[in-house]
Amino acid sequence: MKVLLLLCASCFLATSYAGYRDDDYVINTKYFPDDFLFGVATASYQVEGAWNEDGKGENIWDYLTHLNPAVIKDRSNGDIACDSYHKYKEDVALLKDLGVNHYRFSLSWSRILPKGFAYQINELGVQYYKNLIKELKDNGIEPLITIFHWDTPLPVHEAGGWTSEFVIDYYADYARLCFELFGDQVKYWLTFNEPKQTCEQGYGSGEKAPFIQSHGIGEYLCTHNLLRAHAKAWHIYDEEFRASQNGNVGITLDTPWFEPNTTSEADLAASERILQFMFGWYANPIFNGDYPDIMKTRVAERSKQEGFSSSRLPEFTQEEIDYINGTFDFLGLNHYSSYMISDMPEPEIGAPSWENDTAVLYWQDPSWTPSASDWIVVSSTAPTEK
Ligand SMILES: *[C@@H]1O[C@H](CO)[C@@H](O)[C@H](O)[C@H]1NC(C)=O
Ligand SMILES: *[C@@H]1O[C@H](CO)[C@@H](O)[C@H](O)[C@H]1NC(C)=O
Ligand SMILES: *[C@@H]1O[C@H](CO)[C@@H](O)[C@H](O)[C@H]1NC(C)=O
């Protein structure tokens, strides 16, 4: 299986710095295999700006940052961002200057479908992406496209968003359109970027858009729909486009690494458990058909004790398991940091939460050095006897 290790922009800077050579100003790639894809990545809301230009519709970040600017610490927003909508040629020149040969960016669903649904296509938005793809290819840079990177169109959110099953079909319509419009030029597709963040922060802890706090319930519903939407997009590509376009469809997941605090059985089990709750939650259904057993057992047991008549973790039917199982051509993995893990006593039964379903304590050692972007990068994770 191919695993695509995706380096985010900030990580990339650290990488390129390490390989920087005074004499010729090129990135030293000699330690990487020939087929290593060097690249950087962005998300539409983070870079495009032009939030309401040329027919683009409103997404949840536009709407919610305008409604309540205080949701962002310094009250900034993505209205202009890096202005890449206007400056994409400059940005491609910068990529070329960096020496990368791949660029992962996301499509703004609301720029292509201003109302979120398939009945209205914004030709100017489509043209923007065609221009960007052409500019990249003219400069020898291969595009990798993320179909969805957190910017749900407002009308799709208002119709239920990611906690509603209908989103699967709306997303599938949008994904099919993307394959149709850009698939002759694009060979690497990512259905979603970091779904854990979209679902947990968006619908569980509610720290990020759409700021819904539904601990222990919303994030599981969101994930359940998102995984089925991913599978549907993969099947659409497989059945309708693969033969003519011959590309690859995967997903980008993110996970930290978890290091047990001691070699006790309880700590070893705890670090495996949190890996399953973070990474297995998404990877296991796609690579093996279903949620990890430890999640199924723990959430079902706690739900029962909390008084629910069924598990807060939804169940896949056998038909869905067969449909989702194996829906990947590659895996994209975003990795930022690591945590120490220790077991904790079973949290009291009360209000449900994903954190309490995991029942682990995690922390970072203050002696670990942060990267330039403040992520603590731990290069050696050999278990230490304590
Ligand atoms: C998923 O597919 C694999 C490979 O075909 C198979 O071994 C596994 O049992 C399937 N998973 C489930 C839950 O059916
Ligand atoms: C986890 O459970 C404890 C009780 O054991 C509770 O005080 C806490 O609020 C819960 N955590 C979350 C994030 O809900
Ligand atoms: C981690 O392990 C050390 C012993 O090696 C222990 O003193 C410490 O309390 C543990 N930390 C936690 C949070 O369990």
Side-chain angles (χ1 to χ4, degrees):
M1 194 213 22
K2 279 184 283 185
V3 177
L4 195 63
L5 183 66
L6 303 163
L7 304 171
C8 68
S10 48
C11 319
F12 176 79
L13 290 178
T15 312
S16 62
Y17 181 73
Y20 182 83
R21 290 206 327 232
D22 242 348
D23 50 350
D24 54 11
Y25 297 93
V26 298
I27 295 164
N28 180 351
T29 57
K30 76 180 171 190
Y31 300 110
F32 290 87
D34 287 346
D35 57 356
F36 192 87
L37 317 184
F38 266 99
V40 291
T42 61
S44 50
Y45 184 73
Q46 289 173 327
V47 299
E48 283 179 8
W51 77 277
N52 62 353
E53 279 181 54
D54 288 350
K56 178 179 166 293
E58 216 172 357
N59 66 41
I60 52 172
W61 285 100
D62 297 322
Y63 177 72
L64 293 163
T65 55
H66 294 158
L67 185 71
N68 180 11
V71 295
I72 307 292
K73 203 172 176 181
D74 64 359
R75 302 174 80 88
S76 60
N77 60 37
D79 287 3
I80 300 169
C82 311
D83 204 17
S84 203
Y85 186 72
H86 298 114
K87 298 185 173 165
Y88 73 93
K89 286 192 179 180
E90 252 176 79
D91 288 344
V92 173
L94 288 169
L95 291 173
K96 200 174 178 188
D97 204 39
L98 266 177
V100 300
N101 46 29
H102 289 75
Y103 176 48
R104 175 174 62 119
F105 61 96
S106 79
L107 305 173
S108 157
W109 185 341
S110 328
R111 196 177 293 289
I112 295 173
L113 297 173
K115 303 294 180 199
F117 306 108
Y119 67 91
Q120 189 187 324
I121 298 175
N122 177 25
E123 295 303 337
L124 290 172
V126 171
Q127 196 54 51
Y128 166 68
Y129 292 116
K130 288 193 168 164
N131 293 344
L132 172 60
I133 292 166
K134 182 169 189 307
E135 187 72 12
L136 287 165
K137 298 196 88 148
D138 286 352
N139 284 280
I141 299 168
E142 188 68 24
L144 279 74
I145 290 193
T146 307
I147 296 171
F148 177 85
H149 196 137
W150 213 329
D151 47 356
T152 314
L154 188 59
V156 172
H157 173 65
E158 286 174 334
W162 289 100
T163 47
S164 151
E165 241 181 359
F166 299 107
V167 76
I168 300 170
D169 291 337
Y170 301 146
Y171 171 85
D173 286 349
Y174 161 57
R176 176 185 284 105
L177 182 65
C178 297
F179 298 142
E180 256 166 37
L181 290 168
F182 313 116
D184 58 335
Q185 297 297 317
V186 176
K187 299 304 158 202
Y188 292 97
W189 293 96
L190 297 135
T191 53
F192 291 93
N193 179 76
E194 300 190 2
K196 160 84 170 47
Q197 308 310 327
T198 306
C199 288
E200 203 276 312
Q201 298 197 51
Y203 293 91
S205 65
E207 290 156 42
K208 304 220 169 100
F211 302 103
I212 290 169
Q213 283 188 13
S214 171
H215 290 278
I217 297 168
E219 64 275 69
Y220 291 130
L221 289 176
C222 168
T223 297
H224 203 62
N225 294 324
L226 189 148
L227 285 166
R228 290 181 291 169
H230 157 83
K232 189 157 184 177
W234 187 89
H235 281 288
I236 286 173
Y237 191 83
D238 199 50
E239 286 153 26
E240 302 172 29
F241 299 94
R242 189 183 297 282
S244 58
Q245 299 185 350
N246 199 26
N248 303 279
V249 180
I251 187 168
T252 302
L253 304 179
D254 64 299
T255 187
W257 179 247
F258 302 104
E259 197 59 32
N261 184 39
T262 69
T263 51
S264 74
E265 235 170 76
D267 282 353
L268 291 171
S271 54
E272 173 62 19
R273 187 163 70 242
I274 186 68
L275 187 64
Q276 294 304 333
F277 266 86
M278 283 261 188
F279 184 56
W281 186 10
Y282 297 89
N284 216 58
I286 295 171
F287 291 85
N288 201 27
D290 203 356
Y291 294 121
D293 284 339
I294 188 74
M295 284 190 80
K296 292 203 288 186
T297 344
R298 283 194 53 82
V299 183
E301 181 52 34
R302 289 186 63 87
S303 303
K304 194 170 150 200
Q305 291 186 35
E306 287 154 359
F308 289 86
S309 62
S310 59
S311 179
R312 288 179 280 102
L313 181 71
E315 271 178 42
F316 291 117
T317 63
Q318 187 58 48
E319 200 185 337
E320 287 171 333
I321 287 175
D322 296 338
Y323 188 71
I324 295 172
N325 198 359
T327 51
F328 63 91
D329 301 321
F330 64 92
L331 170 66
L333 183 63
N334 285 1
H335 171 73
Y336 300 86
S337 198
S338 298
Y339 293 88
M340 296 302 293
I341 297 294
S342 84
D343 190 32
M344 67 186 273
E346 189 64 38
E348 269 171 50
I349 294 298
S353 82
W354 175 86
E355 286 85 354
N356 280 350
D357 289 340
T358 72
V360 302
L361 279 178
Y362 55 93
W363 69 94
Q364 291 185 309
D365 190 321
S367 73
W368 294 345
T369 2
S371 70
S373 50
D374 266 350
W375 289 104
I376 291 171
V377 179
V378 186
S379 54
S380 164
T381 54
T384 42
E385 198 71 48
K386 292 202 172 160

